[in-house]
Amino acid sequence: PETAGRALPPAQARPPVPPKPDADPAPGARQLLEARGAQAVADWMLGESRLLITDTTMRDGHQSLLATRMRSIDMIKVAPSYAANLPQLFSVECWGGATFDVAYRFLQECPWQRLRDIREKMPNLMTQMLLRASNGVGYTNYPDNVVQFFVRQAAETGVDVFRVFDSLNWVENMRVAMDAVIESGKICEGTVCYTGNMLDPDRSKYDLKYYVGMAQDLKAAGAHVLGLKDMAGLLKPAAARVLVKALKEEVGLPVHFHTHDTSGMGGATILAAADAGVDAVDCAMDALSGNTSQPTIGSVVEALTGTERDTGLDIQAIRAISNYWERVRENYAAFESGLQSPASEVYLHEMPGGQFTNLKSQARSMGLEDRWHEVAQAYADVNRLFGDIVKVTPSSKVVGDMALMMVAQNLTPEQVVDPGFDVSFPDSVIDMMRGNLGQPPGGWPQALQAKVLKGEAPITDRPGAHLPPVDLEDIRRKLSEDLEGKPVDDEDLNGYLMYPKVFLDYMGRHRTYGPVRTLPTRNFFYGMEPGQEITAEIDPGKTLEIRLQAIGETDENGDVKVFFELNGQPRSIRVPNRKVKAETVARPKADPSNPAHIGAPMPGVVASVAVTQGQAVKQGDMLLTIEAMKMETGIHADRDGTVKKLHVTPGAQLDAKDLMIEI
């Protein structure tokens, strides 16, 4: 459904074919980690004159350009080429961030299976993940033992380098995750998130002293490597020289620099950082680089060839792998952001590159695509309303939720802060103002916080300290019951702990449809045409040959008969025609002139209903919540009254302005 009405791949697109491995994989950084441990890798980084490179194509590259929609099958096919042809890479970022959620929610595949398969195909290269500290790979704080359990499992399944960050740069919130990584024997990359403009005296909240101080705190907390995460691509070359030089001289850890090329200046910033002595940088393969992704790996390699920072990477191998990614990208045409060129607008909105395409997808689903520049301005306005904060998942998601709501409801910043103007804040905003994501430097703006919380007292210490430990075995037992007695291993239990509803929905679809991760990408997203034949290897050595012959007429129940061949044998099956069934459900629309009507402010799914027919409600009472993409919005009563009629139930699909409740 996500691809309906969106761009199609080129009609004559050739299937992606990865380059053949040139030889058996040579020993890489992973062998050093396995033999001598994390500290030995950090010492080796400090002693290297060449600039070390992490390839981000399999995680942040597609997250930033293709709304995180890349499927595992496209990564696993090329992994042996990386192992054999680019053994000099520092690491391959291929897991964590938004990929965990999207794998279950949209791609109908298991993120743990992805990690296992990539680990097997790249035995000599270090795998790297992005870990949101106490937020795990989710959008809220988890109990300490859940974070520890997740890190242990990720290390066991195959992660070598954990880039640990906090969405508000609060080291106190990172310690539990960092300790768990260190205990696992893997590399802990404690990370400073860069925001604002360090050389602008008007943005003095985040100055050189601030960044060096946080880096020293991370070193004291045990980090092996210092990550410098410029998630929006805001660090300019002149500032990079100053910041990297100071971090190297005053902290002493190897520095691993991550940026985005949204403004078109990312490559220049990487070269400036290299001049200043940065140890490692993130780049993406040429075909999935630039714009909101990372700078281009081939260009950085070429720029440094023959210099003292020569990367040692084979440019021909890079181009061959990039050619593969170019063919892969064609199959994701529906998820392109539409950003045709670099945009200096990033210095206005300061939006993380990894959020850009996802937020555009959300705006599209809400009918706001044509108002994107208003969303960008609202994003900047919200940042100021929140006190100028670090914007990276999940804090960036909160800013995005608020910005989308303001544009959808035509709210101004003045109305948001006006104590006399009622605003139904998104649940994520309320949760953040409660202190459940932690504390930003200087705290939250008190007047706005008071309006959001409506008198509720916020917490100001570490959120995880207020969360009791989870009884993992009790949850495992209950989950097994929900799955009709299916045994629950540690990977599945971790998936459920991070995303209970998303995981159960995934398991339900998996029972119905089977291992659709094995389908070719084009067919997974766009289906098959009559006469087309595809191959799907559903288990090692077990391959299905499927040929679609014809699609019959849709009957009065909305079902259609499909004729096909399975391994040469004719078959037919009757399936729902979802396009027709979607058209048969027509909900009444709210009358904007009728104050008793409460309509849907955006397309989405009813997540929960908090009232019943006949119930008395007061102004501000929660009526229901709507989930659109990853944003959950509470709908509150705008006056006292009685629920006259409920037109929706949990799980109901809504279009904008559908009538939900009559008061």
Side-chain angles (χ1 to χ4, degrees):
E2 283 196 294
T3 62
R6 303 293 299 158
L8 296 170
Q12 303 302 320
R14 298 195 303 274
V17 178
K20 291 182 179 178
D22 290 339
D24 290 336
R30 183 164 184 260
Q31 277 63 54
L32 176 61
L33 173 64
E34 295 285 296
R36 296 174 51 198
Q39 188 57 51
V41 174
D43 294 341
W44 163 73
M45 292 176 71
L46 288 171
E48 276 288 314
S49 61
R50 65 190 175 105
L51 181 67
L52 300 171
I53 291 186
T54 291
D55 181 282
T56 63
T57 311
M58 297 189 201
R59 205 286 298 178
D60 208 2
H62 72 91
Q63 179 173 326
S64 299
L65 295 176
L66 305 173
T68 327
R69 293 304 192 270
M70 189 179 289
R71 301 172 68 239
S72 298
I73 191 170
D74 293 322
M75 304 179 196
I76 295 160
K77 282 181 179 178
V78 75
S81 307
Y82 273 87
N85 303 348
L86 291 173
Q88 302 88 355
L89 284 170
F90 173 70
S91 63
V92 174
E93 191 196 40
C94 57
W95 211 63
T99 64
F100 191 90
D101 169 29
V102 170
Y104 284 136
R105 190 188 299 256
F106 296 115
L107 302 181
Q108 190 49 37
E109 59 183 47
C110 173
W112 299 101
Q113 179 76 42
R114 174 183 298 184
L115 178 57
R116 267 183 278 123
D117 289 342
I118 292 175
R119 169 76 288 151
E120 179 189 348
K121 301 292 185 183
M122 293 193 317
N124 58 335
L125 295 177
M126 293 198 298
T127 56
Q128 182 171 312
M129 81 162 289
L130 188 65
L131 182 68
R132 300 164 182 163
S134 58
N135 306 123
V137 285
Y139 302 98
T140 187
N141 262 266
Y142 296 94
D144 292 352
N145 71 323
V146 170
V147 175
Q148 293 159 345
F149 183 51
F150 182 89
V151 169
R152 282 198 302 272
Q153 188 58 54
E156 183 179 326
T157 301
V159 175
D160 296 311
V161 181
F162 289 78
R163 175 173 287 161
V164 184
F165 74 94
D166 177 73
S167 69
L168 298 171
N169 269 358
W170 200 26
V171 175
E172 186 64 24
N173 230 16
M174 299 169 65
R175 290 180 181 273
V176 170
M178 290 178 66
D179 288 346
V181 173
I182 294 164
E183 188 178 323
S184 76
K186 303 299 185 179
I187 295 170
C188 176
E189 187 173 299
T191 301
V192 178
C193 293
Y194 181 86
T195 192
N197 181 356
M198 192 183 75
L199 300 184
D200 181 356
D202 291 335
R203 299 291 293 278
S204 59
K205 183 174 182 179
Y206 303 102
D207 58 9
L208 182 62
K209 182 180 178 182
Y210 168 82
Y211 290 115
V212 170
M214 182 180 175
Q216 289 170 333
D217 289 344
L218 290 170
K219 181 180 182 180
H224 302 112
V225 177
L226 178 65
L228 176 56
K229 181 176 171 61
D230 177 23
M231 57 279 168
L234 301 177
L235 185 61
K236 299 170 186 175
R241 283 192 171 87
V242 173
L243 181 55
V244 170
K245 183 173 184 289
L247 293 174
K248 291 285 292 179
E249 290 177 352
E250 298 188 41
V251 182
L253 292 177
V255 178
H256 190 171
F257 175 48
H258 168 92
T259 191
H260 289 254
D261 204 19
T262 314
S263 72
M265 210 189 296
T269 303
I270 278 182
L271 295 178
D275 285 345
V278 79
D279 299 279
V281 298
D282 285 2
C283 297
M285 280 290 163
D286 298 22
L288 278 159
S289 68
N291 286 344
T292 51
S293 177
Q294 276 67 62
T296 308
I297 191 170
S299 299
V300 171
V301 168
E302 288 278 21
L304 295 173
T305 298
T307 72
E308 60 182 15
R309 302 305 314 268
D310 193 319
T311 64
L313 295 175
D314 182 347
I315 191 63
Q316 297 304 325
I318 287 170
R319 288 175 184 152
I321 291 176
S322 179
N323 290 341
Y324 167 80
W325 288 124
E326 184 178 351
R327 296 279 168 256
V328 166
R329 186 171 180 174
E330 292 175 340
N331 291 316
Y332 295 88
F335 305 105
E336 294 281 358
S337 68
L339 189 68
Q340 299 299 315
S341 59
S344 62
E345 187 180 52
V346 69
Y347 298 116
L348 163 71
H349 56 64
E350 302 185 356
M351 199 178 292
Q355 182 184 29
F356 191 92
T357 48
N358 283 316
L359 196 64
K360 267 210 159 182
S361 293
Q362 284 181 266
R364 184 185 308 130
S365 75
M366 296 170 64
L368 300 176
E369 189 170 22
D370 292 341
R371 301 175 65 186
W372 174 252
H373 293 293
E374 292 179 56
V375 174
Q377 180 61 58
Y379 194 96
D381 292 340
V382 171
N383 178 49
R384 286 192 290 271
L385 291 173
F386 288 172
D388 191 5
I389 64 170
V390 174
K391 294 167 292 300
V392 61
T393 308
S395 62
S396 58
K397 176 188 177 296
V398 182
V399 176
D401 289 353
M402 187 69 194
L404 287 172
M405 191 203 81
M406 286 175 64
V407 175
Q409 299 183 18
N410 297 308
L411 292 175
T412 66
E414 292 74 25
Q415 289 172 321
V416 171
V417 297
D418 182 352
F421 188 88
D422 187 53
V423 176
S424 293
F425 289 95
D427 290 351
S428 60
V429 175
I430 298 170
D431 190 64
M432 187 171 76
M433 289 294 169
R434 282 185 181 129
N436 286 339
L437 294 187
Q439 300 297 312
W444 300 106
Q446 291 185 359
L448 180 64
Q449 187 179 40
K451 179 175 178 177
V452 171
L453 297 184
K454 298 179 179 177
E456 179 184 343
I459 64 169
T460 56
D461 55 351
R462 190 174 69 85
H466 297 266
L467 300 173
V470 164
D471 186 332
L472 299 174
E473 294 311 311
D474 185 53
I475 290 181
R476 191 195 305 271
R477 178 183 57 77
K478 290 176 181 174
L479 178 57
S480 179
E481 292 173 1
D482 288 343
L483 298 177
E484 300 172 1
K486 180 184 182 296
V488 176
D489 63 20
D490 286 350
E491 289 179 351
D492 283 347
L493 181 56
N494 268 291
Y496 176 80
L497 288 166
M498 288 289 129
Y499 290 98
K501 183 179 182 298
V502 171
F503 177 81
L504 288 174
D505 288 347
Y506 156 77
M507 292 298 286
R509 291 193 303 270
H510 190 73
R511 282 196 299 271
T512 301
Y513 297 109
V516 295
R517 63 185 171 83
T518 63
L519 291 170
T521 292
R522 183 169 183 139
N523 305 110
F524 175 82
F525 285 127
Y526 299 96
M528 295 176 68
E529 297 294 330
Q532 186 179 13
E533 185 169 335
I534 63 171
T535 300
E537 186 179 18
I538 59 171
D539 277 317
K542 186 175 182 180
T543 300
L544 303 182
E545 300 290 340
I546 305 163
R547 181 182 179 84
L548 177 60
Q549 294 175 314
I551 299 173
E553 296 294 323
T554 303
D555 64 20
E556 66 277 4
N557 296 319
D559 293 332
V560 63
K561 200 169 187 180
V562 180
F563 301 88
F564 62 103
E565 288 182 2
L566 180 63
N567 293 339
Q569 299 298 312
R571 301 280 181 92
S572 66
I573 189 172
R574 192 170 292 280
V575 296
N577 185 339
R578 287 188 290 176
K579 289 182 181 177
V580 171
K581 291 210 167 182
E583 291 166 3
T584 60
V585 180
R587 297 188 180 278
K589 295 292 183 183
D591 180 354
S593 66
N594 186 344
H597 282 197
I598 296 178
M602 66 191 79
V605 176
V606 178
S608 64
V609 178
V611 294
T612 57
Q613 198 156 305
Q615 180 178 332
V617 294
K618 294 187 178 298
Q619 182 177 351
D621 283 356
M622 174 74 77
L623 302 175
L624 52 81
T625 58
I626 298 174
E627 183 183 283
M629 297 287 283
K630 299 176 199 170
M631 181 175 83
E632 196 164 282
T633 300
I635 307 297
H636 299 79
D638 59 358
R639 59 194 174 90
D640 295 351
T642 303
V643 178
K644 178 182 176 184
K645 189 170 184 181
L646 272 172
H647 291 269
V648 295
T649 55
Q653 190 78 38
L654 296 172
D655 286 328
K657 301 178 183 176
D658 280 354
L659 179 59
M660 302 184 298
I661 294 177
E662 292 180 63
I663 296 290

